[in-house]
Amino acid sequence: MALPEILELLEQRREQHLAELVEWTAIPSISAQAQHAGDLRRACDWAADYCHAMGLETEIHPTAGHPAIIARHDAGARAPTVLLYGHYDVQPPEPLELWESPPFIDNWGSGEAVGGNAEPVRDGALYGRGASDNKGQLFAHLAALRGWFEVAGGPPVNLRLLIEGEEEIGSPSLGEFVATHADELRAEWGVVSDGPMLAPGMPAVSYGLRGLAYFQLDISAASADLHSGTHGGAVPNPATALAEFIATLHNPDGSVNLPRFYDDVTPLETAEREALAALEFSDDEYLKGLGAPTLAGEEGYTTLERRWARPTLEVNGIWGGYTGEGAKTVLPARASAKLSCRLVPRQEPAAIEAALRRACAERLPVGVRWTLRVFAGAPAVLTPTDSPGVQAAMHALRTGFGAEPAFIREGGTIPVVADFQSVLGAQPLLIGFALAEDMPHSPNEHFRLDCLYGGIRTSAALWDELARLG
Amino acid sequence: MALPEILELLEQRREQHLAELVEWTAIPSISAQAQHAGDLRRACDWAADYCHAMGLETEIHPTAGHPAIIARHDAGARAPTVLLYGHYDVQPPEPLELWESPPFIDNWGSGEAVGGNAEPVRDGALYGRGASDNKGQLFAHLAALRGWFEVAGGPPVNLRLLIEGEEEIGSPSLGEFVATHADELRAEWGVVSDGPMLAPGMPAVSYGLRGLAYFQLDISAASADLHSGTHGGAVPNPATALAEFIATLHNPDGSVNLPRFYDDVTPLETAEREALAALEFSDDEYLKGLGAPTLAGEEGYTTLERRWARPTLEVNGIWGGYTGEGAKTVLPARASAKLSCRLVPRQEPAAIEAALRRACAERLPVGVRWTLRVFAGAPAVLTPTDSPGVQAAMHALRTGFGAEPAFIREGGTIPVVADFQSVLGAQPLLIGFALAEDMPHSPNEHFRLDCLYGGIRTSAALWDELARLG
């Protein structure tokens, strides 16, 4: 039995693992910002070097955007094949003034503080952009795998490791990449650690992810902004038209008012609703964390059902006309909105696009021109909770965190997970080590050290558990 | 008779006048943007120096905001007293990329082009922010007055010149300033050239101005932008709430849906509707100039009635959430809109504010916080067309443009004109030299040279005509 020996080794390596993760997190691999292309390459190389050094057969592949890593280890024909996915890119850190320590700290332990009081490890957590999403969570697996290589020459499964650098910009290159490398990447299970636990000390397996359909609607009327005194009242106002259109997109009960929007939605089963209701979740505490006066949403569903298991339509951004200081009496020539739907199983992004396009055609006034652009589309994912892979993940989480894991769903989208299922035949195993309170995508992102070390232990156990299914 | 000699002198001065106006227009005196405070002072000094140099007793007065100029000339107790008003501040030039030449060109004639092809005078017009609104129109009077001083020692009227620097932000300091200096500024007639002619070559006297009530509505919910996957569907979306609120502000017939909005509106008399209908105005040509697919507005009124004599509510700007390139799955914490109403006689800005505030309280959902700020308020103005001052203005326009002037109204607002009437006892004479096609408040604002020179001749004649009323 290699596992106990590996777990002991990993415990001894705590300080070293933290130092390694600090080093990786310090690289500002911001995929949304073109000037960071070199940093993306450095963060990619860092991960590839780590994989190569432990004994994985590692290759960096160029893509149309940022490079992707494929690493592999073979444990024999009788062992199951597992795909492990993660990403080395991060969200932009802005607004910088809201960070209490710099988002990227590259001289930790050197004795020199960057930007003043720049200790990235404090209060039992590592602070930095990407510390939680996704470097910290992915690193938990890398550290555990290195333990397996040192003690047992590698994990007892055939491993396919896929690490990309465009997740935070919607993985534009990954779909084609996965299709091209399908033979190499084909697997029975697809492990992704890019999501939350239920709460601190309360691990979870996610059995569902919502899908996404993201659009930009641009509306225009006159060819230039006009004086709202000279022309106001006679010329169509695109900002008004946009607002009036958006106002048609929800019904009074909070449901989405697009043609046939709910036709393909799989209803929530009573058993699942009961299971979700049994989870430890407080609307009041959730509200307190958000700083909002009330919650809102579709009538007839609980907060967790609304966030995890019901489709939505949200305005992600809106703009038009004069948005500066004070008064400018302008009649806007143009107005735009970013609109996105979160989807649940059986809803198709293409059908949502068609519905929104039809609504635009039917509901926008004749006095405006409009265009609808599509930025992203991914279907939802749902995994049966009784599958042996899920059960193996549950065992591994018990070992890693010493607590009984919950079954949860996630409201967010990991576009490539649907491809893992449909293109590679891999059943997703979504085992997040992060917490909602980690502030991913926000200032002061952090990753708790108990989540890091629990994640490392969980990963060590996971390969052992999955090997038994072989 | 001094006038023929003055008109001849002014004809000889064409090139010089143009060069002077270019110099003044080059100063970016943008009152809405705090960083331009020094430029406002420069533009103010430029005008004060011009007044002082010709022989006016000139003083610059500080205000709570940007300084105001009072200049005076006395022609004796038997001469009538005339107030001439204008403003040296301009609208923001943004969006800069839509200007074909820079909005502020400070080295005209130096042989160096700013930003490439930067010739401000082309196709018979001067291009630049403020060229038409209001530097060009005000300068027509300054140039004519200088002619009067050179030939006859001054115009044959007691002149009170009031030039302010906050018109484009709603003249917040001017009401108090006029009240404080009422004794100095009291006059029988208040001449304002800050509006349009009917069409090129077709001068006009405006007998009506719409009023203005300008607001900013800010809506917020959660304390920070949130991940729209993790939280979407459960947390109130301020952008959606704002859009749904804006959608309540108009009725299906295009009328404004605010409580008691039309209660104080003076209805249009049949005679006036007939006179407006007789003006040379084509919806088709107007549309062509705008580049819009159709016109829009309140049912039951013609385009000119909608623009000049009916109240409106327009969205001047809207913003919230992610407005950059591509997709960012964010649930906005805040959304805002600039909203303004144009008012017609007897509507009070304070009543409009109360109506909008009540609509916010009644129509915004409980799950959002809102604040309403007031940026400007001014009632509408209407002048009898048969007054001797108006007839004098008609004569002056015939001399200046060699054509029969029309009676028009204006859709825009000059906040202080109502004060001229109520505080100073001055009957407004609205004699615009601009054209609707000048693009005031828009990119590529310009002022036709035939309007400039016609305006200078009109002003020269106006003092002569008004003197006869003494």
Side-chain angles (χ1 to χ4, degrees), chain B residues 179-341:
Chain B
T180 308
H181 295 84
D183 286 340
E184 259 177 283
L185 295 172
R186 193 156 288 126
E188 288 145 72
W189 315 101
V191 174
V192 180
S193 294
D194 195 16
M197 320 207 313
L198 182 58
M202 299 171 73
V205 173
S206 291
Y207 62 96
L209 283 174
R210 291 197 288 191
L212 178 66
Y214 197 111
F215 309 94
Q216 180 170 322
L217 175 61
D218 298 300
I219 291 182
S220 66
S223 55
D225 287 356
L226 299 171
H227 192 299
S228 71
T230 309
H231 303 285
V235 180
N237 186 323
T240 309
L242 178 62
E244 291 176 351
F245 176 72
I246 290 171
T248 71
L249 296 177
H250 289 90
N251 296 305
D253 66 359
S255 62
V256 176
N257 180 28
L258 284 180
R260 311 182 62 84
F261 186 76
Y262 292 95
D263 279 11
D264 299 323
V265 169
T266 308
L268 273 167
E269 304 286 343
T270 308
E272 183 172 5
R273 300 190 77 167
E274 285 171 359
L276 292 179
L279 290 176
E280 201 160 307
F281 179 83
S282 149
D283 272 8
D284 284 347
E285 280 185 28
Y286 178 59
L287 249 187
K288 211 185 301 167
L290 298 170
T294 61
L295 295 176
E298 196 184 359
E299 278 174 23
Y301 294 92
T302 67
T303 301
L304 283 186
E305 288 168 354
R306 288 169 174 171
R307 290 171 61 197
W308 292 351
R310 294 297 298 171
T312 65
L313 185 152
E314 296 286 359
V315 178
N316 305 100
I318 189 167
W319 69 101
Y322 181 68
T323 61
E325 204 184 326
K328 187 181 179 191
T329 47
V330 74
L331 190 65
R334 269 169 290 282
S336 299
K338 312 257 186 194
L339 303 170
S340 68
C341 293

Side-chain angles (χ1 to χ4, degrees), chain B residues 100 238 348 432 459:
Chain B
E100 286 167 20
E348 283 297 328
S459 176

Side-chain angles (χ1 to χ4, degrees), chain A residues 91 168 210 212 214 216 220-237 239-240 242-244 246-247 250 286 289-298 303 306-308 312 314-332 334-335 338 340 342 366-369 375-376 411-413 436 441-442, chain B residues 32 34 91-92 94-95 98 168 210 212 214 221-237 239-240 243-244 246-247 250 286 289-298 303 306-307 312 314-332 338 340 342 366-369 375 411-412 436 439-442:
Chain A
Q91 282 273 318
E168 298 295 2
R210 290 197 289 192
L212 179 67
Y214 198 113
Q216 181 169 320
S220 67
S223 54
D225 287 356
L226 298 171
H227 191 299
S228 70
T230 310
H231 303 284
V235 180
N237 185 324
T240 309
L242 178 62
E244 291 177 351
I246 289 172
H250 289 89
Y286 177 59
L290 297 170
T294 61
L295 295 176
E298 196 184 0
T303 301
R306 288 169 174 171
R307 291 171 60 198
W308 292 350
T312 66
E314 295 285 0
V315 178
N316 306 100
I318 188 166
W319 68 102
Y322 181 67
T323 61
E325 203 185 328
K328 186 181 178 190
T329 47
V330 74
L331 190 66
R334 269 168 291 281
K338 313 257 185 193
S340 68
R342 295 288 167 171
V366 290
V368 303
R369 302 182 184 90
F375 284 133
T413 308
H441 296 210
S442 299
Chain B
Q91 282 274 315
E94 288 83 4
L98 297 185
E168 299 294 3
R210 291 197 288 191
L212 178 66
Y214 197 111
S223 55
D225 287 356
L226 299 171
H227 192 299
S228 71
T230 309
H231 303 285
V235 180
N237 186 323
T240 309
E244 291 176 351
I246 290 171
H250 289 90
Y286 178 59
L290 298 170
T294 61
L295 295 176
E298 196 184 359
T303 301
R306 288 169 174 171
R307 290 171 61 197
T312 65
E314 296 286 359
V315 178
N316 305 100
I318 189 167
W319 69 101
Y322 181 68
T323 61
E325 204 184 326
K328 187 181 179 191
T329 47
V330 74
L331 190 65
K338 312 257 186 194
S340 68
R342 295 290 167 172
V366 291
V368 303
R369 301 182 185 91
F375 285 134
M439 310 299 285
H441 296 209
S442 299

